[in-house]
Structures are given as C-alpha cells and as structure tokens.
Amino acid sequence: MSIASLHVYPVKSCAGISVERALLTPMGLPYDRKWMIVDDSTGRAVTQRTHPKMALIRASLPPEAFTADGAPPAGAALTLSAPGAPGEVRVPLAIEGRPQLRPAKVWEWAGYAADEGDAAADFLSAFLGKSVRLVRYLGSGADAADAAAALAAEAIVAGGGVAGAEGAKASLSRAVDPEFVADGEVAFADGFPVLVACEESLADLNTRLQQPIPMDRFRPNIVLRGAGPAWSDDAWGGVRLGGAGVEVSLVKPCSRCTVPSVEQSTGVVTGKEPGATMMKFRSSSALGWAPRFPRNAHFFGNNGQPLGSGMLAVGEPAAVAGQVNWAAAA
C-alpha cells in the first residue's frame, strides 16, 4: 500500500491543492482549512452546502509552504482567484503586528479569528453575491500571542468580547471532538485534522453509479492505493504513513454531507448522487453501525488524528496500524 496523493484545502470549502510532499503534524497538513469565509453579519462559516460555486475559488501557496517546519517562507502569500473575477487577491502568510479579530463560527464552535481585510472580503463578496469576510485560524500557536492581547483589550472588529487571558485563549483555539480524541486541536475542518480515503473504495462505488465520480468530490487529504478489497479501511484503527512511519489514528468513519454532489470542476450540484446510492449500502444501518452512529448517516473514508509529525511524499509506503470493529462498538 502506498500514498497515492496528498491534498490541502487552504480555504474551507474552496478548491484544493494537490502536493507531492507535505509535512504532517498533529494538526494535519500545512495550511489545511487555515482560512474560512464567514457571513459578514453572523460570523457563521459559508460552505459549498449553500454556495456550491465556492468550489471554483482557487487558492495557491508556494510549494515550500507545505514542507517548512516553523515560520512561513519570507514574502509567501495565499493567492485567491476565481473564474470571471477581476485579478486576484494576495494574503501574506506572516501576520505582522496585532491581528484584527472577528467573531467566527463553524459547527458547534464559536470564537475569534483574524480578519484578512477589505480587499479579500470585497473580492469574495463580489464573486459569491453575498457580504462575506475571509478569516484566519489563530489557535494556540505562535500566531495567538498578539491575538490574545487583542482579545483581552476587546480590540475586535465586530461584536462581542471576552474577559481575561484564559477566556481569550479558549476562544482562539478549537478542540477536536472530545468523544473521539481526548486532546487535539483542529483549524476550520469540519471536525478532525485529516481525512484518509482509499482508491479501491471509490472504484467500487463507481461501479454502482450511473455516472462515475472523481475522488475530489470527497475532498480527502490523504489518498491511499493498494489497500486491498474495497472498504477494507472500515476495519482499520490507524495507518502508518511515509518513510518516517508517522501514525494516524483513524478515530471514526467519515459521515458524508451533500458536498459530494457538487462537481468540483464546475461548482454545480449534479443531483442526489452519490449520497442516494451510498445510503443503500454505506448507511449506518446497512453496515451494522447503528446506534453508534446515526441511522441516516452514510460513510466514505476515515477521520484521522495524526499522533506525531513527519514528512510525507506521494509514492511512499503506507501500512495498517491496528483494527477496529464499529459493529461491536455499536
């Protein structure tokens, strides 16, 4: 078994970047879902679930950004572009001085993130036809020090405030779901640092669909090849990846929403597939995983929590690390 491809999605729900090499850490691949687009008035995340054309917003980063261990490369920037939009927008990777903060919400989490300014907001608002802002995850790392001071001083862009350094720290970082991971941090991904998927499972799914779909519909971070029979990863408790053998705990099967119905190359919803077909044989009930997971959920790939750090490269080996039986857990 080997690593078939690696993918980073710098802006939540926007187009991804395929890379040949990347440094995996406990928070996932570099810059993955480091940014998200939020509603200007509510701070709530805007995603392909309601705005499928977000798939057309392209993000680019210099290749060295994915392999750097520490500070971003000097002068490096996130560049955003979109078809039909005038020009592009550059967002420096290095934060200079005290960031301006804005309330942000994704799923159950509500906190503060760094506002990336009017140029990015105007560009994205014009493309989406909705007043939005681009915000950056700060978390518990080095970027959060000045942000915590800003919060303590209530120096925020819009709405609300917190009291004290401890409250500031809590509202800048987001924990992985404690039901599955005891101690972990995740940026703006739906819930976990990485998503691991297998080519063989997609191949089997495509034999059941009238129109085959590419892997990008499922937006994985790490795609594996040579896993054996389709859906073998249902029973994996973890994987060891790359020459360094970085272990990733596969903490739960990934339940899927409606985003896989969006054609990523066009930003168009193509119908109810693949969800309708997957509900027939990949639902919690069909797999014997209810009531551990909701009966109306259906699954593709696994949510993962990296247990260490190490460089990964396409073509490097991968191996199963432990087994799990979700039917027994149910």
Side-chain angles (χ1 to χ4, degrees):
M1 185 165 64
S2 65
I3 299 172
S5 58
L6 299 168
H7 308 272
V8 177
Y9 308 87
V11 183
K12 182 178 180 67
S13 237
C14 295
I17 302 171
S18 296
V19 299
E20 291 296 313
R21 289 171 53 82
L23 178 66
L24 182 67
T25 74
M27 279 194 67
L29 296 176
Y31 299 102
D32 188 62
R33 279 84 168 193
K34 181 80 169 180
W35 290 268
M36 72 175 174
I37 299 169
V38 300
D39 183 282
D40 190 15
S41 60
T42 67
R44 178 68 62 184
V46 180
T47 73
Q48 287 186 37
R49 294 171 178 85
T50 56
H51 292 74
K53 69 183 298 186
M54 288 178 67
L56 302 180
I57 300 173
R58 305 291 172 186
S60 63
L61 290 165
E64 58 269 25
F66 301 108
T67 56
D69 186 4
L78 169 76
T79 302
L80 300 178
S81 61
E88 58 186 27
V89 172
R90 286 173 53 85
V91 177
L93 297 190
I95 296 177
E96 296 182 0
R98 179 178 290 182
Q100 289 189 305
L101 302 181
R102 177 172 293 273
K105 301 174 184 178
V106 55
W107 295 112
E108 77 295 336
W109 181 82
Y112 292 90
D115 185 273
E116 295 289 20
D118 291 341
D122 292 346
F123 177 88
L124 294 168
S125 296
F127 182 72
L128 294 176
K130 175 184 176 65
S131 183
V132 297
R133 306 293 298 187
L134 180 69
V135 298
R136 179 193 311 224
Y137 181 77
L138 293 170
S140 59
D143 288 343
D146 287 332
L151 274 179
E154 296 190 359
I156 57 179
V157 175
V162 298
E166 287 304 311
K169 181 179 178 182
S171 62
L172 292 169
S173 61
R174 181 170 174 246
V176 179
D177 188 340
E179 180 182 354
F180 298 96
V181 177
D183 182 21
E185 184 178 353
V186 62
F188 293 138
D190 274 357
F192 298 88
V194 295
L195 174 63
V196 180
C198 297
E199 288 186 339
E200 290 77 12
S201 298
L202 178 64
D204 179 76
L205 172 60
N206 278 336
T207 65
R208 304 165 187 263
L209 299 174
Q210 289 188 344
Q211 294 292 329
I213 61 174
M215 183 66 84
D216 66 3
R217 292 284 194 100
F218 294 102
R219 302 174 63 81
N221 296 112
I222 301 167
V223 179
L224 302 179
R225 175 179 298 151
W231 315 109
S232 295
D233 54 324
D234 284 349
W236 297 351
V239 288
R240 285 188 298 275
L241 301 172
V246 182
E247 186 167 343
V248 176
S249 176
L250 300 180
V251 296
K252 66 176 287 291
C254 183
S255 57
R256 309 309 310 206
C257 63
T258 59
V259 170
S261 68
V262 178
E263 174 55 61
Q264 296 296 299
S265 64
T266 63
V268 173
V269 177
T270 58
K272 295 183 178 180
E273 296 291 9
T277 292
M278 293 179 68
M279 278 300 297
K280 297 175 182 177
F281 78 110
R282 295 294 301 166
S283 70
S284 188
S285 296
L287 293 167
W289 294 349
R292 183 66 180 85
F293 302 109
R295 290 183 176 275
N296 62 349
H298 58 280
F299 302 88
F300 185 96
N302 279 277
N303 297 121
Q305 173 63 61
L307 302 182
S309 298
M311 197 68 66
L312 303 183
V314 173
E316 287 189 331
V320 178
Q323 301 288 320
V324 68
N325 185 339
W326 292 109

